[in-house]
Amino acid sequence: MVLLGCVPEAAYADEGGVSYWLPGRFGSLAAAPAVPGWSMAAVYYHTTVSASGATAAAKEIQIGRFPATVNSSLNLHLNAQGDLVLLNPTYTFATPVLGGQLAIGVTGLFGRSSADLSGTLTTALGPLVITRNGTIADSITSVGDLYPQATLKWNAGVHNFMTYVTGDIPVGAYSPIRLANLGIGHAAIDGGGGYTYFNPQTGHEFSAVAGLTYNFKNHDTQYQNGIDFHFDWGASQFLSKQLFVGLVGYGYQQITDDFGQHPILGGFRSRVVGVGPQVGYLFPVEDMQGYLNLKAYGEFAAENRPAGWNAWLTFSISPMAPAGTVAPTRRMVTK
């Protein structure tokens, strides 16, 4: 039985302790309508996480294909990092759809994922006991999956509402026998809704987006993640028409058990909470509008999932809003 590790994909999946949904994907101004036309957003994303116990052991169990009759004890520790660049072209339609503003886009990513796993595996079958110590490390630089997304937004004064649907097209670099991957090896569909309160007179802003993820089976491993619930939020104060500061956060909870996991893992439901600061700045780029945002999260209350910290640096460019209006619009980038 070979000592292998948990997959530190770009977006954590419940299989191996990680999920399709990348917490922090939405934030401030998530439901605010945009200016019609083409826009482009680019994000640099960094994450550093660690895990031990069942979370670090999950991939070892999955790849090792340990039979249920074997009594296994794993003392493992995982460290992982990811550095990704995400590109998100989006088109916002000028013609209303169901009284709202329709936008469609797709996100692709390129980057590097690395991890190392060390520890001890003890297995017992009747009187036979085998103990193995080891360390393994892996890294990959490649492309990830594709993530199409459609949103529909409505505005009513300071109140803004949104519904969205997105998903995973599993075309990225993935192998079930690798320690590091950038694809997740299975398709997924996710949908939900959001709300933004924004008052241009006072500069107060608050946004919240909630959704559910349904994961399809990974046919390489015969593993299917459970249904996931996620909640992203952001609160900010505009110090001027261009500059705002605030807080961001997220909560993630798997609400149904995985299928195909080893019995010693149980339902293997994942959970994590994150919170941190943010700053945003709007500025003209010739006849277009530029936007910069930096946000960071520290994670806690993790269960069956690696946890640590992550940071997002976003730059987007979009059509300029009509003169005389405050235009805190930006593109929310998917994974």
Side-chain angles (χ1 to χ4, degrees):
M1 298 180 182
V2 181
L3 182 64
L4 292 172
C6 176
V7 179
E9 278 112 351
Y12 303 121
D14 304 330
E15 181 178 10
V18 285
S19 76
Y20 153 72
W21 185 260
L22 186 65
R25 187 163 167 174
F26 288 111
S28 286
L29 303 165
V35 179
W38 282 103
S39 67
M40 171 63 78
V43 176
Y44 167 67
Y45 173 79
H46 173 83
T47 182
T48 296
V49 295
S50 62
S52 58
T55 305
K59 191 64 176 181
E60 165 70 16
I61 292 174
Q62 174 200 320
I63 296 178
R65 301 287 195 268
F66 298 157
T69 55
V70 174
N71 178 21
S72 303
S73 173
L74 300 105
N75 179 17
L76 305 173
H77 187 78
L78 166 75
N79 292 293
Q81 288 189 346
D83 291 281
L84 308 175
V85 174
L86 298 83
L87 298 177
N88 173 223
T90 300
Y91 184 77
T92 301
F93 293 87
T95 303
V97 175
L98 299 176
Q101 183 187 69
L102 175 66
I104 57 174
V106 64
T107 297
L109 67 88
F110 173 86
R112 176 180 172 83
S113 176
S114 62
D116 64 81
L117 183 75
S118 60
T120 303
L121 166 66
T122 300
T123 60
L125 182 59
L128 179 63
V129 178
I130 301 174
T131 299
R132 177 68 59 83
N133 297 312
T135 299
I136 189 171
D138 191 19
S139 65
I140 185 172
T141 300
S142 189
V143 297
D145 295 345
L146 291 176
Y147 311 98
Q149 178 173 291
T151 62
L152 194 57
K153 299 179 180 181
W154 298 266
N155 171 258
V158 298
H159 304 289
N160 303 273
F161 305 90
M162 175 190 75
T163 185
Y164 78 90
V165 62
T166 184
D168 184 290
I169 302 175
V171 295
Y174 171 80
S175 170
I177 62 173
R178 287 200 61 134
L179 177 61
N181 282 294
L182 287 173
I184 62 174
H186 66 85
I189 187 168
D190 185 284
Y195 169 78
T196 291
Y197 172 86
F198 176 65
N199 188 329
Q201 304 304 316
T202 63
H204 299 335
E205 181 273 338
F206 173 77
S207 297
V209 180
L212 292 169
T213 303
Y214 178 82
N215 298 281
F216 294 91
K217 180 184 289 187
N218 183 333
H219 293 287
D220 289 322
T221 62
Q222 299 304 307
Y223 196 108
Q224 185 172 4
N225 299 340
I227 296 173
D228 305 316
F229 171 79
H230 50 84
F231 181 77
D232 294 353
W233 61 269
S236 62
Q237 173 64 50
F238 276 78
L239 305 180
S240 68
K241 289 185 177 182
Q242 290 76 40
L243 178 67
F244 69 84
V245 296
L247 294 173
V248 287
Y250 54 71
Y252 177 91
Q253 176 66 62
Q254 185 179 341
I255 59 177
T256 66
D257 292 349
D258 290 351
F259 297 94
Q261 73 276 24
H262 192 279
I264 70 172
L265 293 178
F268 205 60
R269 300 190 185 190
S270 301
R271 179 185 68 206
V272 74
V273 179
V275 67
Q278 69 164 333
V279 59
Y281 182 67
L282 295 148
F283 55 94
V285 180
E286 295 183 350
D287 60 343
M288 304 287 282
Q289 176 179 277
Y291 173 74
L292 276 173
N293 178 269
L294 176 62
K295 60 182 181 179
Y297 299 86
E299 295 183 323
F300 58 96
E303 182 177 338
N304 293 327
R305 181 182 179 93
W309 66 275
N310 58 81
W312 308 61
L313 177 62
T314 300
F315 169 71
S316 70
I317 187 166
S318 60
M320 182 71 73
T325 64
V326 177
T329 58
R330 65 177 179 127
R331 292 289 179 262
M332 296 312 304
V333 206
T334 61
K335 278 187 15 186

